[in-house]
């Protein structure tokens, strides 16, 4: 559950007074998610989500995230729209946290996505990459190689408690990725966390994308690699080639990958698996048991790392260089 901060109806009514969003009818904390506190609000005008930024979100980045959502919505991507206050601002404060009111998106995320959903996600992510072109702000990826090394420094001393030998594996990955990480592939704004719980479907179609709080400028194909990790592995850790093929084909329908991007996929997928393994490992070791937070299993991503290490060609993901 992710409700780190409790808020009262009195605080909420005071907050809503700054907006033209109606008056409060009801509210409740949302159990899902792990990074921020989210509340579902019903007002006399509509339903909204109120997000209180916690943990990894730096307040200085909020204009980028919220501005990006506005830009994407204006360019045809279905995503929440930040609600402006009467004074024109989008960032508020409640319970000593920075907060934003955003529009409510209909739909649900899929616990068991099928290949046709993966194809749609491929299309959606390519659409997002194209729609984000021209957004005026930029933000470096805080969870790229240097960020991974920082997380690793903090988690390394206890990593072998989670899996004996993990330290040695991660040291080798960091060294390989540090040497071989591609520097010359197409870049742009990426979502960087497009997991199934961040894509809503309605009647079998993508109805919207949420949670832009890791969005940043980085390699576009790295976002595709993250989607392969998040959408195309089964619970038993095996790669589902049909899903991978569908996701990559969907992406290429909208934005064909360059040969160099295709060739780099095994490395990018390995880097992305390491990134999610490290944030999960850090949380696993630092969040106390019993805290009201979803702790995600780092071992799922250790298994993905092992898979990507033995890939010899991108065709094993379901794509060929033509
Ligand atoms: N605009 C929205 N419309 C409808 N529901 C939303 C919206 N934004 C968030 N939610 C709900 O809140 C939940 C958590 O939101 P979100 O994924 O942004 O939180 P988070 O803590 O950043 O999670 P994550 O662990 O994925 O980073 C979502 O699963 C969804 O149920
Ligand atoms: N999507 C991330 C968590 C939140 O960003 C993970 O599954 O580790």
């Amino acid at each position: 559950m992710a409700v780190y901060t409790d808020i009262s109806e009195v605080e909420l009514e005071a907050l809503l007074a700054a907006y033209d969003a109606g008056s409060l009818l009801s509210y409740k904390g949302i159990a899902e998610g792990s990074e921020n506190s989210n509340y579902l609000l019903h007002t006399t005008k509509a339903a909204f989500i109120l997000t209180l930024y916690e943990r990894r979100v730096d307040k200085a980045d909020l204009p980028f995230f919220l501005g990006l959502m506005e830009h994407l919505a204006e360019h045809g991507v279905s995503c929440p729209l930040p609600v402006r206050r009467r004074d024109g601002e989008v960032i508020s404060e409640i319970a000593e946290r920075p907060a934003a009111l955003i529009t409510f998106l209909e739909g649900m995320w899929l616990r068991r996505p099928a290949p046709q959903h993966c194809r749609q996600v491929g299309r959606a992510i390519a659409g997002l990459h194209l729609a984000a072109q021209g957004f005026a702000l930029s933000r470096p990826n805080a969870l790229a190689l240097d960020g991974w090394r920082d997380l690793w420094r903090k988690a390394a001393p206890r990593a072998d408690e989670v899996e004996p030998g993990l330290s040695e594996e991660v040291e080798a990955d960091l060294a390989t990725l540090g040497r071989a990480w591609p520097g010359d592939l197409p870049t742009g704004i990426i979502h960087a966390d497009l997991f199934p719980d961040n894509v809503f479907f309605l009647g079998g179609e993508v109805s919207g994308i949420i949670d832009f709080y890791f969005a940043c400028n980085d390699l576009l194909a790295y976002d595709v690699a993250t989607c392969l990790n998040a959408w195309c592995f089964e619970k038993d850790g095996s790669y589902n080639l049909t899903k991978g093929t569908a996701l990559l084909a969907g992406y290429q329908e909208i934005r064909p990958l360059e040969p160099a991007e295709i060739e780099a996929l095994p490395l990018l997928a390995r880097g992305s698996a390491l990134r999610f393994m490290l944030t999960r490992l850090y949380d696993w070791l630092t969040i106390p048991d019993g805290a009201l937070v979803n702790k995600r299993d780092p071992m799922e991503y250790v298994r993905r790392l092992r898979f990507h290490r033995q890939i010899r060609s991108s065709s094993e993901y379901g794509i060929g260089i033509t």
Side-chain angles (χ1 to χ4, degrees), residues 1-5 30-39 50-58 62 65 97-98 139 142-143 151 191-195 197-198 210-215 275-284 286-287 292-297:
M1 149 139 186
V3 178
Y4 295 91
T5 308
I30 297 180
E32 286 176 335
S34 57
E35 299 289 337
N36 300 310
S37 299
N38 285 294
Y39 285 87
L50 178 70
T51 303
L52 279 59
Y53 299 100
E54 321 258 0
R55 289 158 55 79
R56 296 199 173 95
V57 175
D58 181 347
L62 288 177
F65 300 137
R97 303 281 186 285
R139 173 179 182 265
L143 288 175
L151 279 168
H191 182 284
D193 190 26
L194 204 71
F195 278 57
D197 58 353
N198 289 330
I210 64 165
D211 199 359
F212 288 85
Y213 304 113
F214 287 108
R275 173 260 185 260
F276 287 101
M277 195 285 286
L278 286 170
T279 44
R280 288 173 172 213
L281 179 67
Y282 178 79
D283 290 352
W284 197 262
T286 54
I287 296 176
L292 295 178
V293 176
N294 286 318
K295 288 218 276 186
R296 299 180 207 241
D297 186 1

Side-chain angles (χ1 to χ4, degrees), residues 200-211:
F200 288 0
F201 283 80
L202 201 59
E205 302 288 324
V206 171
S207 63
I209 294 178
I210 64 165
D211 199 359

